[in-house]
Amino acid sequence: MGNVVAIAGRPNVGKSTLFNRLTQTRQAIVNEEAGTTRDRHYGKVEWCGREFSLIDTGGWVVRSEDVFEEEINRQVQIAIEEADVILFVVDVLTGLTDLDDSVANILRRTSKPVLVVANKADTYEWHASSAEFYGLGLGDPYCVSAVNGSYTGDLLDKVVSLLPKTKTEDADDELPRIAVVGRPNAGKSSLLNAFTGEERHIVTDIAGTTRDAIHTKYNKFGMNFYLIDTAGIRKKNKVNEDLEYYSVIRSIRAIESADVCLLMVDATRGIEAQDLNILSIIQKNRKGLVVCVNKWDLVEDKSQQSVNSYTRAIRERFAPFTDFPILFISALTKQRILKALECAKDVFHNRRKRIPTAQLNEIMLPLITQTPPPAWKGKYIKIKYITQLPAGSVPSFAFFCNLPQWIKEPYKRFLENKIRENWDFCGTPINIFIREK
């Protein structure tokens, strides 16, 4: 399972700036308006060979009418429940505030490691004034400046040392891991019950009943793999707005530990922003994808025309990655659910597929000669040799040429499309590397 680190703290202490600094992205324009893309608050951090997911609790929850403090407390609570390490960000310039105190009150009760991060210590003079944060009772404050990056390395060293050691996977590492993901109430648990033939997952009409990601070993109908069910929510009394937040975090954990994701889409509701969020997490993690349009039994018009228009709509929304299977299923009536498993298995085998170098060059080189990369400042780019890189989690191809730096994204996409036309890599992403010969 991937490790999760959460950033908590009151507003305007620089949580998002710190998030951008650690994930090395520029997603910083964090808007307090409800419904700003929530996806931007999830990122991957790699440090000293360890990788973890970083979550900024700030912007997830849609602002509601209720009191500010309650809102923050709820976010802190979520961070405590979901994360392995919590970064509690405070602001050196303004010093300790009542809100900081109330956040610290909650954090002192958790057994999980909490690091006090004194942000905005842009110059060394500010380090001395961070002493007041010892009063929070959460140990040494770490002075950093998210804006210019000073001392963030020391902070990351500490975070990595606190992360639980990742468990070495079982001997059954060869078995595909299939995760069922999707918005709350898209029918994930019903599908798992239909697969396993048991009612082990409580199914209700209330969105978000399931709790934790459950691994179920599955061997029926001559198939053998792990099913990972993602979760909805722990507490029933949670307000609706947290529901999507939870489902995203839980999906992140399940997606990271899976090989292939079955993305459940509700046929009665169509593609929603939340589906696209989950899709973007699947793509960031380079996982296999099968889209299952569930509740097909409730759709009145089941004609081929309706199927085609639905399929087209999904591929348009999910572009540029369009090479994945789309199935119309019903978890309730068990319609085509085995087909979903077979598809997932095929996608898993596509991820492991190896293409002989001779065959690659024989088919791809003539295509490249017909449509060579565009010349750059009068220099012609020649691709001389292609090979598939040794087995990784995603099929990766290296194209060796004389001027790799001038081959741009559109041409890489062209190469990927040609590979997909000639070999079946349905459902799995492909990496294209251009290297110097």
Side-chain angles (χ1 to χ4, degrees), residues 52-175:
F52 59 87
S53 296
L54 186 67
I55 292 170
D56 171 9
T57 56
W60 291 88
V61 182
V62 179
R63 288 264 169 273
S64 58
E65 296 309 303
D66 62 276
V67 197
F68 217 24
E69 283 185 49
E70 244 175 72
E71 186 77 12
I72 294 168
N73 294 350
R74 209 159 60 218
Q75 293 177 11
V76 174
Q77 215 59 58
I78 292 173
I80 290 174
E81 264 174 51
E82 298 298 336
D84 299 310
V85 178
I86 298 157
L87 302 181
F88 174 25
V89 184
V90 289
D91 179 344
V92 177
L93 306 186
T94 49
L96 259 182
T97 67
D98 301 349
L99 269 181
D100 291 329
D101 271 333
S102 59
V103 173
N105 275 334
I106 311 174
L107 289 175
R108 278 198 295 272
R109 297 187 200 125
T110 173
S111 54
K112 296 190 173 168
V114 177
L115 299 178
V116 178
V117 181
N119 189 22
K120 307 195 186 174
D122 299 347
T123 61
Y124 199 68
E125 284 72 70
W126 286 106
H127 286 227
S129 53
S130 70
E132 64 172 318
F133 295 116
Y134 279 102
L136 294 169
L138 289 165
D140 301 340
Y142 283 78
C143 287
V144 302
S145 164
V147 171
N148 60 33
S150 53
Y151 293 96
T152 46
D154 302 354
L155 174 67
L156 282 170
D157 286 342
K158 183 65 180 166
V159 170
V160 167
S161 71
L162 290 172
L163 288 177
K165 293 281 171 283
T166 41
K167 304 178 193 67
T168 47
E169 298 298 349
D170 318 350
D172 292 343
D173 202 30
E174 288 309 299
L175 289 186

Side-chain angles (χ1 to χ4, degrees), residues 242-293:
D242 292 21
L243 196 131
E244 307 241 306
Y245 172 76
Y246 267 104
S247 73
V248 170
I249 291 200
R250 296 285 162 77
S251 300
I252 289 170
R253 293 218 163 185
I255 289 168
E256 285 179 353
S257 52
D259 297 309
V260 181
C261 300
L262 294 178
L263 175 57
M264 303 279 285
V265 177
D266 186 335
T268 56
R269 299 181 60 169
I271 303 276
E272 300 185 331
Q274 181 77 350
D275 298 318
L276 295 173
N277 277 343
I278 295 173
L279 175 83
S280 76
I281 295 168
I282 295 174
Q283 289 183 322
K284 270 186 194 157
N285 284 290
R286 314 291 286 156
K287 301 296 184 188
L289 171 68
V290 178
V291 173
C292 297
V293 181

Side-chain angles (χ1 to χ4, degrees), residues 34 70-71 125 148-149 218 220 257 269 286 288 306 345 347 362 388 393 397 411:
E70 244 175 72
E71 186 77 12
E125 284 72 70
N148 60 33
Y218 180 98
K220 284 185 183 164
S257 52
R269 299 181 60 169
R286 314 291 286 156
S306 134
K345 208 171 145 189
V347 169
E362 193 181 319
Q388 185 173 358
S393 57
F397 297 90
Y411 195 76

